[in-house]
Amino acid sequence: MLSNSQKLPERQNITPWQGCPSEQLLYRIQAVCQFESADPKAVLGLHRSSDNSGQIINAFIPKAKSCTVILADGQELAPSEILPGFFQLELPTKLNVQANDYKIRYQLEGDERIFTRHDPYSFGSIIGDLDKHLFGEGNHLKIYEKLGAQLCEIDGIQGVHFATWAPNAKAVSVTADFNHWDQAAHPMQRLGESGLWALFIPNLQAGEVYKYAIRAHDGERVLIKTDPYGFQSELRPKTASIVADLSLHTWRDDAWLQKRKENKQIDTPMSVYEVHLGSWRRPEGVPQEIEHPQFLSYTELAPPLIAYVKEMGFTHIELMPVMEHPLDMSWGYQVTGYYAPSSRFGKPDEFMAFVDLCHQNDIGVILDWVPAHFPRDGHSLGWFDGKHIYAYEDTLKGEHKEWGTLVFDFGRNEVVNFLAGNAFYWFDKYHIDGLRVDAVSAMLYQSYGREDAEWTPNAFGGCENLEALAFIKKLNTQIKENFPDVLMIAEEATAWPQISGDIEHGGLGFDLKWNMGWMHDSLFYINQDPIYRKFHHDSITFPISYAFSEKYVLPISHDEVVYGKKSLLQKMPGDTWQKFANLRLFLALMFGYPGKKLLFMGSEFGQSNEWYYARELDWWLLEHVPHQQIQSLVKFLNSFYRRDARLFDGDFSWDHFEWIDCSDRDNSVLTFTRWNAAKTDYLLFVANMTPLPRYNYRIGLPHPGAYREILSTDSGEYGGSGFHFPVNQPSEPVPWQSREHSLVCDLPPLGVYILEKIKDHG
């Protein structure tokens, strides 16, 4: 209610207007002044007088110390202040003013600036009935062009159209730097029963800092919220949104997009370099591990990172979430600004330029995306209008106990639209090549991370989240229809079938799935002392048994080299020489096994320390030869992988992989082949998993002929002891391992040979 110093004037001091019966006159003014109105346009703006004899302009400008109405012909008229901040002007009866034919000039207390702007309450909305209908259905896939802060033109006037969804709110306003963060200054209009609120504020430009003030459903609390659809955010610890112009960047990646269209990424070699932008490199001369560290910007990172990735031969960069997040140590997985690239590294157009430069250098960009959950930060999505609208209201469904976060309500169309629109947004506005969807298991299972009493069975008595399942299928279908050449990649660690299967055949429709089984099994095996590996032989061979059950990515990600898990190099057993030899062995097998490849930054040169988000990689290690040699090996493996179809033609089919011998556990030796698409040519992999050389070791061969070495990981070039396969070694007609021909060679300690048959022999 109004304070004693702000009592409403007598009714006779106010001129009534059409559409506002006299008995409602004071109530409506009071609702606007007290930030309680869902229909401010019924009070503010241009109206006909109740007797239709003239026109009236009502304006509410809290803390205004002056106010003037300026007509299109230049006339300046002084309205009456009938209540502190509430101004009314009766226009001369001879005038016939149009809605946007006048401006209001005002000055606020304590502010030297003088504002001259068109009246926000004289304009309509860019949101039409179709928009409201599609949004309510969950099918407005470009909702990011309607909600949020849109730079646009209405009736020939430039400004910013603000819109948000708050179905339970009693009132919503734009509170911003330009109105001194006054919650009542710019109340928004509720658009029917859609739960949407909108207001066009003319004469604003990009760069304005704002939030939404939301009077909760109980009428008491006022929540100050960041824009869920905000395109730019302030740098943490500040949390406001910033009006951004997404048209500033001129794209120059047409050649890449055409290439991507003609050669779908899933059919090409993919070697992904996973990067945390905040710790790949840090500014020189700046102390590290401070509370709010400084970072290289998108602009500063682009040239060295892209040059390095290109030199190393990776095909893609995968960025840990770049969406805005308040806490550095969350690595980006506690997202508060789904539509805003993090301000830690720069502005939206600068991130666009980063992606564009990647594409111009034939490097794809994948973003980690987090639709499973969101944090509880007060300025973000939780309790957005006083109730849970983005999360499930039922805490048994709406909270992730393990992470302390909230679960998106996948049964609510507007929430589904928020997430689907977000995926579209990154493909559309930022030309992203793929999304790696985080924590899919947590979406699929209501029981994920919960005790038996902490989850609610679905309608069929099961633990599956049927609404999340429907969302995933719908989203993947929509993306395939609109962006057929991008990738949707699932991080999913359970036995749920057909994650990458076709939806029409019962699958979920992802293009690829992270092979967490391969990661766990292979790292478990390689971590064993070689003397005991024969007892764990199945751990290195078993992953092939399910290698073609999905379309897989083989991931060695940030999760495997952090928080007590040791770096990839330090996972390896043995002395220093053996650690490097084991790492070479592991990397060669990774490139030999079917599936796309992903390697976290630092692993490519044998980072010694675990990854820590607040410290850059140990680049100084490259002053030492062993680390240079690991880097050289990865560079060779990437180059060889990209140019030799035998390593990627058969990623998803048994037809292109064949064991020669997977059962020699006593010697801890593996032999297998990778075939080209036509099954006319193959590579032969021979791996000795012990530090003992295997002399005169016989290997069965698919075809007779002479063989040559493509790679020995034990080469001195890579830090090995110097074992090499004999030059042009001929086969012998000696049956072995169910083959009619074989050859004998010495196997290197902790080493891998990659061999091929010489085409003009046999």
Side-chain angles (χ1 to χ4, degrees):
M1 299 296 293
L2 292 173
S3 66
N4 290 331
S5 63
Q6 289 185 308
K7 290 185 180 296
L8 285 166
E10 295 298 325
R11 187 174 303 183
Q12 58 266 27
N13 294 339
I14 308 173
T15 302
W17 57 92
Q18 283 186 358
C20 184
S22 58
E23 62 270 16
Q24 296 183 13
L25 183 66
L26 298 182
Y27 172 77
R28 290 193 176 187
I29 292 176
Q30 178 180 346
V32 169
C33 292
Q34 294 300 308
F35 179 41
E36 294 177 344
S37 176
D39 188 16
K41 288 187 177 181
V43 175
L44 303 177
L46 180 67
H47 301 271
R48 300 295 302 182
S49 60
S50 60
D51 61 5
N52 205 31
S53 62
Q55 294 175 296
I56 295 169
I57 294 174
N58 293 327
F60 181 53
I61 310 172
K63 300 178 183 177
K65 64 180 182 181
S66 66
C67 180
T68 303
V69 174
I70 304 173
L71 302 183
D73 61 5
Q75 288 188 69
E76 298 187 7
L77 303 174
S80 300
E81 187 172 9
I82 60 175
L83 187 73
F86 191 91
F87 298 87
Q88 187 175 75
L89 175 66
E90 291 187 63
L91 291 168
T93 56
K94 63 181 179 180
L95 295 178
N96 183 22
V97 175
Q98 300 301 310
N100 58 1
D101 275 355
Y102 66 95
K103 295 181 180 179
I104 300 175
R105 185 174 66 213
Y106 61 92
Q107 187 174 14
L108 302 177
E109 295 177 3
D111 194 334
E112 296 181 355
R113 295 174 295 177
I114 296 175
F115 299 95
T116 302
R117 290 174 174 163
H118 289 85
D119 187 352
Y121 300 94
S122 294
F123 294 85
S125 171
I126 65 172
I127 296 176
D129 289 340
L130 180 60
D131 297 313
K132 290 183 281 187
H133 178 71
L134 290 173
F135 180 64
E137 287 185 337
N139 292 322
H140 202 312
L141 297 177
K142 289 194 173 184
I143 191 63
Y144 49 85
E145 294 183 347
K146 297 294 182 178
L147 298 191
Q150 303 288 336
L151 288 164
C152 62
E153 179 181 297
I154 297 181
D155 297 336
I157 305 300
Q158 298 284 340
V160 178
H161 183 276
F162 296 91
T164 195
W165 176 60
N168 302 300
K170 290 196 67 175
V172 181
S173 72
V174 180
T175 179
D177 190 49
F178 58 78
N179 60 24
H180 284 206
W181 300 98
D182 194 303
Q183 299 168 13
H186 284 93
M188 301 173 75
Q189 186 77 15
R190 184 169 181 131
L191 304 181
E193 299 303 314
S194 66
L196 295 172
W197 301 73
L199 180 66
F200 177 72
I201 303 181
N203 313 119
L204 293 184
Q205 298 177 343
E208 297 286 357
V209 180
Y210 71 99
K211 285 188 175 183
Y212 295 121
I214 301 173
R215 186 170 292 281
H217 64 285
D218 57 18
E220 298 297 325
R221 293 170 295 158
V222 175
L223 308 169
I224 307 300
K225 293 289 188 176
T226 300
D227 188 348
Y229 290 84
F231 299 146
Q232 185 178 348
S233 295
E234 288 185 298
L235 177 63
R236 55 94 182 95
K238 294 181 178 180
T239 58
S241 300
I242 301 174
V243 177
D245 185 352
L246 297 184
S247 68
L248 294 178
H249 180 71
T250 301
W251 289 90
R252 299 177 177 84
D253 63 347
D254 289 350
W256 167 267
L257 295 179
Q258 183 62 32
K259 175 184 173 183
R260 192 180 77 181
K261 182 178 180 181
E262 294 173 355
N263 302 292
K264 292 185 178 180
Q265 299 170 93
I266 197 168
D267 297 326
T268 62
M270 280 186 63
S271 181
V272 183
Y273 187 57
E274 188 190 17
V275 174
H276 177 259
L277 287 178
S279 58
W280 185 72
R281 282 195 183 275
R282 299 287 283 278
E284 293 184 10
V286 176
Q288 298 195 30
E289 299 184 49
I290 57 178
E291 183 178 358
H292 293 306
Q294 296 182 36
F295 303 106
L296 294 175
S297 67
Y298 299 117
T299 303
E300 293 168 327
L301 278 164
L305 177 55
I306 291 169
Y308 181 74
V309 169
K310 192 171 184 178
E311 177 189 0
M312 290 299 299
F314 291 99
T315 65
H316 290 71
I317 297 173
E318 180 173 318
L319 300 177
M320 293 167 68
V322 298
M323 298 78 179
E324 194 57 78
H325 52 282
L327 187 64
D328 292 350
M329 66 184 299
S330 80
W331 314 335
Y333 292 97
Q334 302 269 336
V335 179
T336 53
Y338 277 81
Y339 287 79
S342 178
S343 54
R344 289 167 177 78
F345 313 114
K347 299 177 181 178
D349 60 295
E350 294 170 333
F351 183 56
M352 290 179 184
F354 175 95
V355 176
D356 198 352
L357 191 58
C358 286
H359 288 172
Q360 292 174 47
N361 284 274
D362 289 325
I363 298 169
V365 180
I366 299 168
L367 299 186
D368 277 13
W369 187 52
V370 192
H373 63 120
F374 59 92
R376 297 170 179 266
D377 296 68
H379 66 278
S380 186
L381 300 176
W383 299 274
F384 188 74
D385 60 5
K387 291 187 176 182
H388 278 308
I389 59 172
Y390 284 94
Y392 287 107
E393 290 191 46
D394 179 359
T395 57
L396 292 182
K397 294 178 69 175
E399 295 183 4
H400 269 306
K401 301 286 187 181
E402 182 180 0
W403 301 327
T405 54
L406 301 174
V407 181
F408 281 107
D409 184 347
F410 300 107
R412 192 157 194 168
N413 288 340
E414 295 88 349
V415 176
V416 165
N417 209 147
F418 171 79
L419 291 170
N422 188 240
F424 267 61
Y425 170 79
W426 293 106
F427 293 134
D428 180 19
K429 297 299 184 181
Y430 287 87
H431 295 201
I432 295 302
D433 301 288
L435 294 177
R436 175 268 197 184
V437 184
D438 183 65
V440 172
S441 301
M443 300 170 70
L444 293 175
Y445 296 97
Q446 294 178 169
S447 58
Y448 186 88
R450 296 181 175 92
E451 300 296 331
D452 288 345
E454 295 177 339
W455 58 275
T456 304
N458 61 34
F460 302 100
C463 62
E464 301 84 3
N465 187 327
L466 302 179
E467 294 163 341
L469 183 60
F471 162 69
I472 289 170
K473 290 181 177 181
K474 181 178 180 179
L475 175 63
N476 284 335
T477 298
Q478 291 167 331
I479 288 174
K480 289 285 195 309
E481 292 172 349
N482 292 273
F483 301 97
D485 51 347
V486 303
L487 296 173
M488 292 294 285
I489 306 167
E491 187 238 359
E492 205 283 325
T494 73
W496 190 290
Q498 296 195 74
I499 296 291
S500 58
D502 293 337
I503 292 172
E504 56 268 30
H505 296 132
L508 297 191
F510 285 100
D511 297 286
L512 294 165
K513 174 185 173 177
W514 274 22
N515 193 336
M516 308 299 281
W518 169 86
M519 180 272 294
H520 285 294
D521 289 341
S522 60
L523 288 181
F524 171 80
Y525 178 85
I526 205 71
N527 186 244
Q528 304 303 312
D529 188 302
I531 197 172
Y532 300 116
R533 283 178 178 167
K534 64 181 179 180
F535 302 112
H536 303 284
H537 194 71
D538 291 345
S539 294
I540 198 65
T541 61
F542 181 62
I544 294 298
S545 69
Y546 55 80
F548 309 106
S549 61
E550 300 276 3
K551 298 173 183 176
Y552 277 126
V553 176
L554 308 184
I556 298 298
S557 74
H558 61 279
D559 277 328
E560 314 319 319
V561 295
V562 71
Y563 287 166
K565 293 183 178 180
K566 301 181 181 179
S567 70
L568 190 58
L569 175 65
Q570 294 302 331
K571 289 178 188 292
M572 306 298 157
D575 59 22
T576 299
W577 188 91
Q578 289 188 12
K579 286 183 182 297
F580 279 95
N582 273 300
L583 181 55
R584 294 191 298 269
L585 167 71
F586 179 83
L587 291 169
L589 281 180
M590 178 181 180
F591 276 81
Y593 272 33
K596 311 303 184 185
K597 324 299 176 187
L598 180 141
L599 198 60
F600 184 63
M601 64 182 197
S603 299
E604 80 282 2
F605 62 79
Q607 169 96 0
S608 298
N609 290 313
E610 292 173 340
W611 170 64
Y612 182 49
Y613 75 93
R615 184 177 58 230
E616 77 171 18
L617 297 180
D618 293 336
W619 294 104
W620 57 269
L621 288 172
L622 286 171
E623 298 172 8
H624 302 281
V625 172
H627 296 276
Q628 296 171 8
Q629 291 168 329
I630 290 292
Q631 188 185 54
S632 294
L633 175 64
V634 173
K635 188 184 301 186
F636 171 83
L637 288 169
N638 272 330
S639 174
F640 179 49
Y641 169 64
R642 293 180 68 166
R643 71 175 185 266
D644 198 308
R646 291 171 291 188
L647 284 174
F648 60 84
D649 269 350
D651 273 339
F652 312 129
S653 171
W654 269 110
D655 293 340
H656 305 286
F657 177 93
E658 183 180 8
W659 287 116
I660 298 296
D661 185 10
C662 63
S663 60
D664 189 2
R665 63 177 63 244
D666 289 336
N667 288 307
S668 294
V669 173
L670 288 179
T671 48
F672 61 89
T673 54
R674 293 292 306 274
W675 294 76
N676 64 355
K679 290 293 294 283
T680 57
D681 197 10
Y682 56 90
L683 296 169
L684 175 62
F685 283 76
V686 184
N688 176 17
M689 313 293 195
T690 73
L692 299 175
R694 301 294 179 189
Y695 295 102
N696 299 314
Y697 190 88
R698 186 170 291 277
I699 303 166
L701 298 172
H703 295 149
Y707 286 75
R708 67 183 176 192
E709 173 189 304
I710 293 174
L711 171 70
S712 168
T713 62
D714 193 55
S715 168
E717 178 185 358
Y718 302 122
S721 59
F723 272 72
H724 285 278
F725 185 77
V727 177
N728 298 341
Q729 170 83 351
S731 65
E732 302 171 354
V734 177
W736 196 255
Q737 296 168 334
S738 302
R739 273 87 180 167
E740 294 182 1
H741 296 266
S742 59
L743 58 75
V744 172
C745 65
D746 299 334
L747 303 187
L750 295 173
V752 174
Y753 284 149
I754 303 178
L755 311 175
E756 69 175 352
K757 178 176 171 291
I758 301 173
K759 291 183 173 56
D760 58 355
H761 284 74

